[in-house]
């Protein structure tokens, strides 16, 4: 018969421990998807079996009945170590250690121990001697402990110690992250050890009573609190790799209930709260500074956006990224919130944008100005072309009439008038040359100058040019020579323009050389598979200063200061010649040594292509 009237305090405590453990077992089972909950269910059941078995051992009177319940307790006792180890492995992210190969090995010892317990009468290996003590409030079984019992103790201690070391090490190594949780879990680790040490050492104030199940019941409570209250163990193993404590970005890890499980130093600084203030609390507390951010992103799982806080000088721009954290099976576990202050970058971007806009506006203005300048230039060229045309007509008339006058004067023998009429004719001719050059230049600039390509005889052309230039050369006491090394018989080009180029260059050579030598060399060369005619006009005259060479082919340029007075000229001859050469796909290269002479080399393709690609002239000074 049960002696309910004598139930001592520890029986009540044991019953409470059993009930608590059962409740935790049910609670944990309902959350069995959370890491660590399954071993916790096993631990809770084991502790409940142990506790209730112990209660029933204590409250029953019969020796056999008591022994039966003492044996039942061993189902719990051997399972506790196993469940404890399993719990420690799972929550420290070593769940994979429990597999098909390791579980059967781990089960060998408990099964052997259970067999020994239930067959103790045959060998006495667990309890060699059992006495029923009846002089206290309750009849109690006093056990002598045999080899099997100590084997069971060793097995249990190895399991418990391994689990305890794993838990303690893991949490001690991450002190910041687990500060709150470490203390709770460490609180849960020690009661069984204390209870067991008291029982084994005999220091227990209630002799014969094993306090270990009470210790384990307390552990179950602490473990359940640790994993279900904070969910820390669920989320952190996944997030750990992503969270870098010293990142400049603010980082927060929240669980699926929006409770903060971790944050880094940058986040602490930005949110103006310490980690210990925030961990375990709802995210609302953390983002109290930024209520609109909270409102906008509270329930979003994937975000990559910018948000702005503050106004005026206090305004800051942040780049926010929220990503969901999932376990290996893809179940949603929480969120990783990362933000970066990009205010400076935004300011630079804005400055760049403004600068760009200014540049675009400037470019538009410049384009308009260029357009206007081009229009003006075209208008000028058109005007000049028209004017030149208008001037040529009366000039031709002046020249014609002056020649007529010369004939009339010769007939009437008024020789005194001949020099005056010759002066009129010279001035008219000079003016006509000038007008012709201006007209040519205007046409080129207005894009109206056209090429008239034809096949012509090169030796004949050279002969004609020399015939015109010879008298000019003689005027200055120069000797004009022609050297033909490899004279091409014909070329396909604009003959008039080629003649004009040669005439311009040869007349310059004879004009700027006194008592010297002017040489025209003609050659034929192969360049890149194409045949070129090379006319080279060399003189031993004044030469051109190096700093004046770059202006040589610019229109209206007369590089020598004394040129207009001494030699006359328009400053258009070289510019027009270079343009003509370019139009035919060729170029003029000038080489000059002041005081020694100049060489102008005209390079033209033997067959001028259509359309041509103008080449850029190069100038050299030797
Ligand atoms: P211009 O009608 O004045 O001769 P050009 O364009 O033919 O105009 O020549 C421009 C200037 O280049 C000349 O005024 C002269 O100063 C210089 N120049 C051209 N050819 C020679 C040369 N062979 N020797 C020295 N100076 C030259």
């Amino acid at each position: 018969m049960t002696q309910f009237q004598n139930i001592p305090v520890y029986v009540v405590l044991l019953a409470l421990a059993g009930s608590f453990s059962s409740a935790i077992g049910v609670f944990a089972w309902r959350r069995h998807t959370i890491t660590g909950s399954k071993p916790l269910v096993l631990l809770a059941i084991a502790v409940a079996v142990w506790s209730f078995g112990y209660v029933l051992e204590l409250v029953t009177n019969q020796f056999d009945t008591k022994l039966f319940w003492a044996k039942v307790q061993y189902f719990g006792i051997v399972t506790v170590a196993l469940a404890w180890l399993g719990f420690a492995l799972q929550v420290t992210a070593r769940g994979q250690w429990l597999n098909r190969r390791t579980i059967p090995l781990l089960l060998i010892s408990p099964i052997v121990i259970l067999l020994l317990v239930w067959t103790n009468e045959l060998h006495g290996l667990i309890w060699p001697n059992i006495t029923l003590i009846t002089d206290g409030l309750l009849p109690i079984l006093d056990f002598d402990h045999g080899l099997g019992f100590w084997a069971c103790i060793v097995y249990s201690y190895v399991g418990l110690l391994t689990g305890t070391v794993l838990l303690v090490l893991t949490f001690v190594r991450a002190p910041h992250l687990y500060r709150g949780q470490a203390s709770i879990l460490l609180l849960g680790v020690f009661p069984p050890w204390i209870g067991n040490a008291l029982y084994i050492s005999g220091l227990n104030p209630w002799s014969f009573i094993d306090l270990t199940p009470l210790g384990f019941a307390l552990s179950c409570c602490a473990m359940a609190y640790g994993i279900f209250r904070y969910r820390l163990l669920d989320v952190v193993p996944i997030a750990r790799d992503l969270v870098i404590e010293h990142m400049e970005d603010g980082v927060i890890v929240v669980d699926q209930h929006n409770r903060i499980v971790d944050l880094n130093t940058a986040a602490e600084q930005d949110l103006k709260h310490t980690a210990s203030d925030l961990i375990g609390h709802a995210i609302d507390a953390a983002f109290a500074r930024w209520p609109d951010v909270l409102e906008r992103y509270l329930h979003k799982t994937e975000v990559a956006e910018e948000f702005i806080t503050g106004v005026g000088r206090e305004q800051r721009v942040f780049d926010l990224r929220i990503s969901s954290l999932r376990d290996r099976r893809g179940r949603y576990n929480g969120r990783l919130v990362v933000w970066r202050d990009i205010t400076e970058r935004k300011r630079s971007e804005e400055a760049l944008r403004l600068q760009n806009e200014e540049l675009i506006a400037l470019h538009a203005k410049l384009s308009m100005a260029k357009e206007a300048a081009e229009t003006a230039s075209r208008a000028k060229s058109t005007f000049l072309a028209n004017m030149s045309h208008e001037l040529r007509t009366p000039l031709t008339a002046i020249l014609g009439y002056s020649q007529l006058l010369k004939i009339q004067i010769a007939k009437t023998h008024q020789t005194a008038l001949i020099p005056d009429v010759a002066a009129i004719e010279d001035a008219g001719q000079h003016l006509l040359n000038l007008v012709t050059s201006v007209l040519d230049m205007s046409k080129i600039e207005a894009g109206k100058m056209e090429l008239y390509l034809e096949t012509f005889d090169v030796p004949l052309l050279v002969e004609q040019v020399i015939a015109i230039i010879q008298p000019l050369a003689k005027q200055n006491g120069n000797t004009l020579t022609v050297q033909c090394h490899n004279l091409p018989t014909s070329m396909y080009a604009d003959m008039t323009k080629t003649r004009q180029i040669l005439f311009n260059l040869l007349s310059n050579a004879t004009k700027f050389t006194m008592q010297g030598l002017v040489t025209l060399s003609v050659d034929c060369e192969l360049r890149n598979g194409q045949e070129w005619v090379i006319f080279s006009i060399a003189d031993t005259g004044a030469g051109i200063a190096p700093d004046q060479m770059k202006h040589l082919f610019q229109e209206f340029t007369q590089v020598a200061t004394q040129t207009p007075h001494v030699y006359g000229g328009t400053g258009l001859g070289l510019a027009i010649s270079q343009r003509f050469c370019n139009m035919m796909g060729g170029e003029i290269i000038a080489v000059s040594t002041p005081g020694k002479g100049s060489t102008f080399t005209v390079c033209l393709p033997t067959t001028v292509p259509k359309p041509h690609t103008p080449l850029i002239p190069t100038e050299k000074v030797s």
Side-chain angles (χ1 to χ4, degrees), residues 365-406:
K365 272 189 199 164
L366 282 175
S367 299
M368 275 162 66
K370 183 173 168 267
E371 189 68 34
E374 279 172 2
T375 313
S377 170
R378 274 195 299 273
K380 180 201 80 181
S381 300
T382 314
F383 169 76
L384 281 176
N386 292 339
M387 277 306 290
S388 303
H389 185 73
E390 294 304 315
L391 286 171
R392 270 159 72 99
T393 316
L395 267 175
T396 318
I398 291 172
L399 281 173
Y401 279 110
S402 60
Q403 275 162 10
L404 262 177
L405 256 179
K406 253 168 62 181

Short mmCIF file of all heavy atoms in Angstrom, two decimals, residues 365-406:
data_model
loop_
_atom_site.label_atom_id
_atom_site.label_comp_id
_atom_site.label_asym_id
_atom_site.label_seq_id
_atom_site.Cartn_x
_atom_site.Cartn_y
_atom_site.Cartn_z
N LYS A 365 26.37 74.50 -76.25
CA LYS A 365 26.70 75.89 -76.61
C LYS A 365 27.83 75.91 -77.64
O LYS A 365 27.77 76.65 -78.63
CB LYS A 365 27.17 76.64 -75.34
CG LYS A 365 26.05 77.27 -74.57
CD LYS A 365 26.65 78.15 -73.50
CE LYS A 365 25.63 78.44 -72.42
NZ LYS A 365 26.26 78.95 -71.21
N LEU A 366 28.85 75.07 -77.36
CA LEU A 366 30.00 75.03 -78.28
C LEU A 366 29.59 74.56 -79.67
O LEU A 366 30.05 75.10 -80.68
CB LEU A 366 31.09 74.10 -77.72
CG LEU A 366 31.93 74.70 -76.60
CD1 LEU A 366 32.88 73.67 -76.03
CD2 LEU A 366 32.74 75.88 -77.14
N SER A 367 28.70 73.54 -79.68
CA SER A 367 28.23 73.04 -80.97
C SER A 367 27.53 74.14 -81.74
O SER A 367 27.73 74.29 -82.96
CB SER A 367 27.26 71.87 -80.78
OG SER A 367 27.90 70.84 -80.12
N MET A 368 26.69 74.91 -80.97
CA MET A 368 25.97 76.00 -81.63
C MET A 368 26.96 77.04 -82.17
O MET A 368 26.83 77.53 -83.30
CB MET A 368 25.00 76.66 -80.65
CG MET A 368 23.66 75.91 -80.58
SD MET A 368 22.73 76.32 -79.13
CE MET A 368 22.37 78.02 -79.44
N ALA A 369 27.99 77.35 -81.32
CA ALA A 369 28.98 78.34 -81.73
C ALA A 369 29.73 77.83 -82.97
O ALA A 369 29.99 78.59 -83.91
CB ALA A 369 29.95 78.60 -80.59
N LYS A 370 30.06 76.51 -82.94
CA LYS A 370 30.80 75.92 -84.06
C LYS A 370 29.95 76.00 -85.33
O LYS A 370 30.42 76.38 -86.40
CB LYS A 370 31.12 74.47 -83.72
CG LYS A 370 31.95 73.76 -84.77
CD LYS A 370 32.36 72.40 -84.26
CE LYS A 370 32.94 71.57 -85.37
NZ LYS A 370 31.99 70.71 -86.04
N GLU A 371 28.67 75.63 -85.12
CA GLU A 371 27.72 75.67 -86.24
C GLU A 371 27.67 77.07 -86.83
O GLU A 371 27.75 77.27 -88.05
CB GLU A 371 26.34 75.24 -85.71
CG GLU A 371 25.28 75.03 -86.78
CD GLU A 371 25.59 73.82 -87.65
OE1 GLU A 371 26.15 72.83 -87.13
OE2 GLU A 371 25.29 73.90 -88.83
N ALA A 372 27.58 78.08 -85.88
CA ALA A 372 27.49 79.48 -86.32
C ALA A 372 28.76 79.87 -87.07
O ALA A 372 28.70 80.52 -88.12
CB ALA A 372 27.28 80.39 -85.11
N ALA A 373 29.93 79.42 -86.49
CA ALA A 373 31.21 79.76 -87.13
C ALA A 373 31.30 79.13 -88.51
O ALA A 373 31.76 79.78 -89.46
CB ALA A 373 32.35 79.28 -86.25
N GLU A 374 30.85 77.88 -88.61
CA GLU A 374 30.91 77.20 -89.90
C GLU A 374 30.00 77.88 -90.92
O GLU A 374 30.36 78.06 -92.08
CB GLU A 374 30.51 75.73 -89.73
CG GLU A 374 31.68 74.89 -89.22
CD GLU A 374 31.29 73.48 -88.85
OE1 GLU A 374 30.11 73.11 -89.03
OE2 GLU A 374 32.17 72.77 -88.38
N THR A 375 28.80 78.29 -90.41
CA THR A 375 27.87 78.97 -91.30
C THR A 375 28.51 80.28 -91.79
O THR A 375 28.47 80.61 -92.98
CB THR A 375 26.54 79.27 -90.57
OG1 THR A 375 26.15 78.08 -89.92
CG2 THR A 375 25.45 79.73 -91.50
N ALA A 376 29.14 81.00 -90.81
CA ALA A 376 29.77 82.27 -91.16
C ALA A 376 30.89 82.04 -92.17
O ALA A 376 31.04 82.80 -93.14
CB ALA A 376 30.31 82.94 -89.90
N SER A 377 31.68 80.94 -91.92
CA SER A 377 32.79 80.64 -92.80
C SER A 377 32.29 80.32 -94.21
O SER A 377 32.88 80.76 -95.20
CB SER A 377 33.58 79.47 -92.22
OG SER A 377 34.50 79.01 -93.13
N ARG A 378 31.18 79.55 -94.25
CA ARG A 378 30.62 79.20 -95.57
C ARG A 378 30.13 80.47 -96.27
O ARG A 378 30.34 80.66 -97.47
CB ARG A 378 29.49 78.19 -95.42
CG ARG A 378 30.00 76.74 -95.39
CD ARG A 378 28.85 75.78 -95.62
NE ARG A 378 27.84 75.89 -94.57
CZ ARG A 378 27.89 75.23 -93.42
NH1 ARG A 378 28.91 74.42 -93.18
NH2 ARG A 378 26.96 75.37 -92.52
N ALA A 379 29.50 81.36 -95.46
CA ALA A 379 28.98 82.61 -96.03
C ALA A 379 30.14 83.44 -96.58
O ALA A 379 30.06 84.00 -97.68
CB ALA A 379 28.22 83.39 -94.96
N LYS A 380 31.25 83.45 -95.77
CA LYS A 380 32.44 84.21 -96.19
C LYS A 380 32.98 83.65 -97.52
O LYS A 380 33.27 84.40 -98.45
CB LYS A 380 33.51 84.11 -95.10
CG LYS A 380 34.79 84.84 -95.42
CD LYS A 380 35.95 84.31 -94.62
CE LYS A 380 36.48 83.04 -95.24
NZ LYS A 380 37.57 82.42 -94.55
N SER A 381 33.07 82.30 -97.56
CA SER A 381 33.61 81.67 -98.77
C SER A 381 32.74 81.96 -99.97
O SER A 381 33.25 82.27 -101.06
CB SER A 381 33.72 80.16 -98.56
OG SER A 381 34.56 79.90 -97.47
N THR A 382 31.41 81.87 -99.73
CA THR A 382 30.49 82.15 -100.84
C THR A 382 30.66 83.60 -101.31
O THR A 382 30.73 83.88 -102.51
CB THR A 382 29.03 81.89 -100.40
OG1 THR A 382 29.00 80.67 -99.72
CG2 THR A 382 28.06 81.88 -101.57
N PHE A 383 30.76 84.50 -100.31
CA PHE A 383 30.91 85.91 -100.64
C PHE A 383 32.20 86.14 -101.45
O PHE A 383 32.19 86.79 -102.49
CB PHE A 383 30.94 86.73 -99.34
CG PHE A 383 31.36 88.15 -99.53
CD1 PHE A 383 30.48 89.09 -100.07
CD2 PHE A 383 32.64 88.59 -99.18
CE1 PHE A 383 30.86 90.39 -100.26
CE2 PHE A 383 33.02 89.90 -99.38
CZ PHE A 383 32.13 90.81 -99.91
N LEU A 384 33.30 85.51 -100.92
CA LEU A 384 34.58 85.68 -101.61
C LEU A 384 34.53 85.12 -103.02
O LEU A 384 35.03 85.73 -103.97
CB LEU A 384 35.70 84.98 -100.82
CG LEU A 384 36.22 85.76 -99.61
CD1 LEU A 384 37.24 84.93 -98.85
CD2 LEU A 384 36.86 87.07 -100.07
N ALA A 385 33.89 83.95 -103.15
CA ALA A 385 33.80 83.33 -104.48
C ALA A 385 33.06 84.26 -105.43
O ALA A 385 33.51 84.50 -106.56
CB ALA A 385 33.09 81.98 -104.37
N ASN A 386 31.94 84.81 -104.91
CA ASN A 386 31.15 85.71 -105.76
C ASN A 386 31.94 86.97 -106.11
O ASN A 386 32.00 87.39 -107.26
CB ASN A 386 29.84 86.11 -105.07
CG ASN A 386 28.92 84.92 -104.95
OD1 ASN A 386 29.09 83.94 -105.70
ND2 ASN A 386 27.98 84.97 -104.03
N MET A 387 32.57 87.52 -105.04
CA MET A 387 33.32 88.76 -105.24
C MET A 387 34.46 88.54 -106.23
O MET A 387 34.70 89.37 -107.12
CB MET A 387 33.90 89.25 -103.91
CG MET A 387 32.92 90.04 -103.06
SD MET A 387 32.19 91.41 -103.96
CE MET A 387 33.58 92.49 -104.13
N SER A 388 35.18 87.41 -106.04
CA SER A 388 36.32 87.13 -106.91
C SER A 388 35.86 87.04 -108.35
O SER A 388 36.52 87.56 -109.26
CB SER A 388 36.98 85.81 -106.51
OG SER A 388 37.35 85.87 -105.17
N HIS A 389 34.72 86.37 -108.50
CA HIS A 389 34.18 86.23 -109.85
C HIS A 389 33.88 87.60 -110.45
O HIS A 389 34.22 87.89 -111.61
CB HIS A 389 32.92 85.37 -109.79
CG HIS A 389 32.37 85.08 -111.15
ND1 HIS A 389 32.99 84.20 -112.01
CD2 HIS A 389 31.29 85.57 -111.81
CE1 HIS A 389 32.30 84.16 -113.14
NE2 HIS A 389 31.26 84.99 -113.03
N GLU A 390 33.25 88.46 -109.58
CA GLU A 390 32.90 89.81 -110.05
C GLU A 390 34.15 90.62 -110.38
O GLU A 390 34.14 91.47 -111.26
CB GLU A 390 32.07 90.55 -108.99
CG GLU A 390 30.69 89.94 -108.72
CD GLU A 390 29.85 89.83 -110.00
OE1 GLU A 390 29.83 90.81 -110.76
OE2 GLU A 390 29.27 88.75 -110.25
N LEU A 391 35.24 90.35 -109.62
CA LEU A 391 36.47 91.11 -109.84
C LEU A 391 37.21 90.67 -111.10
O LEU A 391 37.86 91.45 -111.77
CB LEU A 391 37.40 90.97 -108.62
CG LEU A 391 36.99 91.75 -107.38
CD1 LEU A 391 37.85 91.35 -106.19
CD2 LEU A 391 37.14 93.26 -107.61
N ARG A 392 37.14 89.33 -111.33
CA ARG A 392 37.89 88.77 -112.47
C ARG A 392 37.44 89.39 -113.81
O ARG A 392 38.27 89.67 -114.67
CB ARG A 392 37.71 87.26 -112.53
CG ARG A 392 38.76 86.53 -111.73
CD ARG A 392 38.28 85.16 -111.38
NE ARG A 392 38.27 84.29 -112.56
CZ ARG A 392 39.24 83.43 -112.83
NH1 ARG A 392 40.28 83.34 -112.03
NH2 ARG A 392 39.16 82.67 -113.88
N THR A 393 36.13 89.61 -113.93
CA THR A 393 35.60 90.10 -115.20
C THR A 393 36.21 91.48 -115.56
O THR A 393 36.83 91.61 -116.62
CB THR A 393 34.06 90.15 -115.16
OG1 THR A 393 33.62 88.95 -114.55
CG2 THR A 393 33.44 90.29 -116.54
N PRO A 394 36.08 92.50 -114.66
CA PRO A 394 36.70 93.79 -115.04
C PRO A 394 38.21 93.72 -115.16
O PRO A 394 38.81 94.39 -116.01
CB PRO A 394 36.29 94.73 -113.90
CG PRO A 394 35.79 93.88 -112.81
CD PRO A 394 35.36 92.59 -113.40
N LEU A 395 38.85 92.81 -114.33
CA LEU A 395 40.31 92.70 -114.40
C LEU A 395 40.76 92.17 -115.77
O LEU A 395 41.74 92.65 -116.35
CB LEU A 395 40.82 91.74 -113.31
CG LEU A 395 41.21 92.42 -112.01
CD1 LEU A 395 41.57 91.38 -110.97
CD2 LEU A 395 42.40 93.36 -112.24
N THR A 396 40.03 91.16 -116.23
CA THR A 396 40.36 90.62 -117.56
C THR A 396 40.22 91.73 -118.61
O THR A 396 41.04 91.85 -119.53
CB THR A 396 39.41 89.45 -117.88
OG1 THR A 396 39.27 88.67 -116.72
CG2 THR A 396 39.94 88.57 -119.01
N ALA A 397 39.19 92.57 -118.41
CA ALA A 397 38.97 93.67 -119.35
C ALA A 397 40.16 94.65 -119.30
O ALA A 397 40.68 95.07 -120.34
CB ALA A 397 37.68 94.40 -119.01
N ILE A 398 40.61 94.96 -118.05
CA ILE A 398 41.75 95.89 -117.90
C ILE A 398 42.97 95.34 -118.63
O ILE A 398 43.65 96.05 -119.38
CB ILE A 398 42.06 96.12 -116.40
CG1 ILE A 398 40.93 96.93 -115.76
CG2 ILE A 398 43.40 96.84 -116.20
CD1 ILE A 398 41.01 97.06 -114.25
N LEU A 399 43.24 93.99 -118.39
CA LEU A 399 44.42 93.38 -119.02
C LEU A 399 44.30 93.42 -120.55
O LEU A 399 45.25 93.77 -121.25
CB LEU A 399 44.58 91.92 -118.55
CG LEU A 399 45.21 91.75 -117.17
CD1 LEU A 399 45.16 90.29 -116.74
CD2 LEU A 399 46.66 92.22 -117.19
N GLY A 400 43.11 93.10 -121.04
CA GLY A 400 42.85 93.09 -122.50
C GLY A 400 43.08 94.47 -123.09
O GLY A 400 43.82 94.63 -124.08
N TYR A 401 42.50 95.51 -122.40
CA TYR A 401 42.62 96.88 -122.93
C TYR A 401 44.06 97.38 -122.84
O TYR A 401 44.53 98.10 -123.71
CB TYR A 401 41.65 97.83 -122.21
CG TYR A 401 40.23 97.71 -122.77
CD1 TYR A 401 39.20 97.15 -122.05
CD2 TYR A 401 39.96 98.20 -124.08
CE1 TYR A 401 37.92 97.03 -122.57
CE2 TYR A 401 38.68 98.08 -124.61
CZ TYR A 401 37.67 97.49 -123.86
OH TYR A 401 36.43 97.39 -124.39
N SER A 402 44.77 96.96 -121.75
CA SER A 402 46.16 97.44 -121.64
C SER A 402 47.02 96.83 -122.76
O SER A 402 47.91 97.49 -123.30
CB SER A 402 46.75 97.13 -120.26
OG SER A 402 46.74 95.76 -120.04
N GLN A 403 46.71 95.56 -123.13
CA GLN A 403 47.46 94.95 -124.24
C GLN A 403 47.12 95.67 -125.57
O GLN A 403 48.01 95.96 -126.39
CB GLN A 403 47.13 93.46 -124.34
CG GLN A 403 48.00 92.64 -123.41
CD GLN A 403 47.45 91.26 -123.13
OE1 GLN A 403 46.49 90.84 -123.79
NE2 GLN A 403 48.05 90.60 -122.18
N LEU A 404 45.83 95.99 -125.73
CA LEU A 404 45.41 96.74 -126.93
C LEU A 404 46.13 98.09 -127.01
O LEU A 404 46.63 98.50 -128.05
CB LEU A 404 43.89 97.01 -126.87
CG LEU A 404 42.99 96.04 -127.68
CD1 LEU A 404 41.54 96.39 -127.45
CD2 LEU A 404 43.34 96.16 -129.17
N LEU A 405 46.19 98.74 -125.81
CA LEU A 405 46.86 100.05 -125.72
C LEU A 405 48.32 99.96 -126.17
O LEU A 405 48.83 100.81 -126.90
CB LEU A 405 46.82 100.55 -124.27
CG LEU A 405 45.80 101.66 -123.95
CD1 LEU A 405 45.87 102.01 -122.48
CD2 LEU A 405 46.08 102.91 -124.79
N LYS A 406 48.96 98.82 -125.66
CA LYS A 406 50.37 98.61 -126.01
C LYS A 406 50.54 98.56 -127.54
O LYS A 406 51.46 99.17 -128.13
CB LYS A 406 50.87 97.30 -125.40
CG LYS A 406 51.80 97.54 -124.23
CD LYS A 406 52.10 96.35 -123.37
CE LYS A 406 52.77 95.20 -123.94
NZ LYS A 406 53.00 94.10 -123.02
#
